[in-house]
Amino acid sequence: MRIALLVLSIVLALPCAGPLAAEIHVPADQPTIQAAVTEAGDGDVIVIAKGKYKEDVTISGKSNLTLRPDGAVKVEMRGTGSFNDPAIFIDVSNNVIVQGLKFKKTKGDAIYVANSQATIDACTFKSIGFAAIRLQVTTGCVV
């Protein structure tokens, strides 16, 4: 009887647990990092395959999102070449983690964090146009 009640309570609690975090692989699941960010829900992990990515990525209104390479591969972010656009812009987001990416030859900022909480971990920066990491109106950022 107790086991039946325990199983029933677990089954009834599952719908309340919320969605599980997903891994979104670039380019296998989404063709670009921006497409993966747009598709991502709270708690998701974007896993980026080896390569050079020339795109500007905006992360806005996300919580508990992680961007990281697929294992020990080299992922190089270059941005589109605009002086005004960072390679990664994090705005109005909580607990965004950017981990293990290489930023090279960006004309603007490599990472710009505004009104957000973010962790920048084990990233490298070379030949950056403006700031490697720019923080504006942020709290709780870890670099």
Side-chain angles (χ1 to χ4, degrees), residues 122-142:
C123 293
T124 60
F125 304 90
K126 184 175 181 181
S127 300
I128 305 300
F130 290 120
I133 302 169
R134 182 183 304 265
L135 304 175
Q136 180 179 342
V137 192
T138 61
T139 58
C141 286
V142 178

Side-chain angles (χ1 to χ4, degrees), residues 37-116:
V37 167
T38 301
E39 182 70 22
D42 291 345
D44 285 355
V45 177
I46 297 172
V47 181
I48 308 165
K50 179 180 180 177
K52 295 178 182 177
Y53 295 85
K54 190 171 183 176
E55 60 178 297
D56 298 325
V57 176
T58 298
I59 301 168
S60 184
K62 301 288 183 176
S63 292
N64 303 311
L65 181 69
T66 300
L67 278 71
R68 67 170 179 79
D70 188 3
V73 302
K74 291 184 181 179
V75 173
E76 187 175 299
M77 297 289 300
R78 292 193 175 222
T80 61
S82 170
F83 286 102
N84 297 322
D85 295 324
I88 296 181
F89 178 46
I90 303 169
D91 187 36
V92 192
S93 296
N94 293 308
N95 196 30
V96 173
I97 300 170
V98 179
Q99 184 178 52
L101 304 182
K102 179 179 182 178
F103 294 84
K104 186 175 180 182
K105 296 182 181 178
T106 63
K107 291 190 178 181
D109 299 326
I111 302 173
Y112 185 172
V113 182
N115 307 302
S116 300

Side-chain angles (χ1 to χ4, degrees), residues 24-32 47 49 53:
I24 302 170
H25 292 262
V26 176
D29 298 328
Q30 293 292 331
T32 65
V47 181
Y53 295 85

